[in-house]
Amino acid sequence: MAGWRQAVELAMTDDEIEALAALSRSRTEPSSRVSRAQMLLAYRDNPSFCAVGRRLGVHHQTVERCVERALAYGVLAALDDRPRPGKEPAITPEAKAWLVSLACDKAKDHGYPHELWTTRLLARHAREHGPAAGHKCLANLVQGTVCKILGKEEVKPHKVRYYLENRDAEFEQKMAEVLCVYREVEVLKKAAARSKEGQAGGNRLL
């Protein structure tokens, strides 16, 4: 691996080298951009992660990541922090359906002395039993997330006065399908919004 690391070639155009040189001396640019510009220039002179790290006083892995980003995204793009993509919901639709179904049960049916669930107890039960039910995403479930999930479905287990025992055996599957539809609609709405923004930007350019 050491030999491969020293053999990585990073091609740069004259314009990129000029831009890096200017950035490496800048006193107004963010320090992260200045540091990365210096790393790339130093690596161009001596393509060794360890040598550049010693020269600039940074860890060789930091140099390696910077060079790899330059290879993957381009020399100048590597100077910026990579955008953090919007995180997909950590809780799957199936897990939400399982949680909602659980909230519609009696707490005492699951071994607790209480007739009604509290959101704190639901969160604890989901953390302990959700992964075994096939929902690993519930392993770190917190009370606040339980409140949000149940609130969207207008389920309030702590305010239940009585229970209806005749429940749909396919409730979880149906709920998961409904949640999936909601998610697809949200994705379509976001795509449409981005399309409109792109068209608007194009019109402004015209």
Side-chain angles (χ1 to χ4, degrees), residues 10-11 18 28 30 53 76 91 93 141 147 178 180 184 188-189:
L10 180 60
E18 184 178 348
T28 58
L76 297 182
I91 310 299
L141 186 69
C147 293
V178 171
C180 283
E184 289 173 0
L188 290 173
K189 285 182 177 179

Side-chain angles (χ1 to χ4, degrees), residues 22-179:
L23 284 167
S24 68
R25 298 188 297 269
S26 175
R27 295 185 178 182
T28 58
E29 287 285 338
S31 59
S32 59
R33 284 172 56 84
V34 172
S35 177
R36 288 165 188 161
Q38 292 172 345
M39 279 187 269
L40 293 177
L41 286 173
Y43 185 83
R44 176 177 175 271
D45 295 336
N46 184 4
S48 165
F49 299 139
C50 291
V52 172
R54 287 194 298 268
R55 174 178 169 183
L56 299 180
V58 298
H59 197 281
H60 68 85
Q61 289 182 344
T62 302
V63 180
E64 181 179 356
R65 286 194 296 269
C66 182
V67 173
E68 288 179 346
R69 285 167 58 181
L71 291 169
Y73 306 108
V75 171
L76 297 182
L79 301 177
D80 299 315
D81 293 324
R82 281 179 291 183
R84 300 179 183 272
K87 292 184 178 179
E88 286 293 312
I91 310 299
T92 65
E94 293 77 15
K96 290 179 182 178
W98 181 85
L99 184 65
V100 171
S101 178
L102 178 66
C104 293
D105 286 343
K106 294 179 181 180
K108 69 177 185 179
D109 290 342
H110 292 270
Y112 298 100
H114 320 293
E115 179 78 13
L116 304 179
W117 289 104
T118 64
T119 51
R120 185 184 299 276
L121 182 59
L122 270 171
R124 192 184 81 190
H125 184 88
R127 287 195 300 270
E128 294 176 352
H129 300 280
H135 309 297
K136 293 182 180 180
C137 56
L138 297 178
N140 298 313
L141 186 69
V142 296
Q143 183 182 7
T145 304
V146 172
C147 293
K148 290 179 181 178
I149 293 173
L150 299 185
K152 288 184 178 180
E153 303 303 324
E154 297 186 357
V155 176
K156 301 177 181 179
H158 59 292
K159 292 187 177 181
V160 171
R161 293 178 181 272
Y162 60 90
Y163 284 85
L164 296 177
E165 299 298 335
N166 185 21
R167 299 183 59 218
D168 188 344
E170 299 180 355
F171 176 82
E172 287 188 38
Q173 179 181 349
K174 292 178 180 178
M175 176 63 76
E177 291 174 357
V178 171
L179 291 172

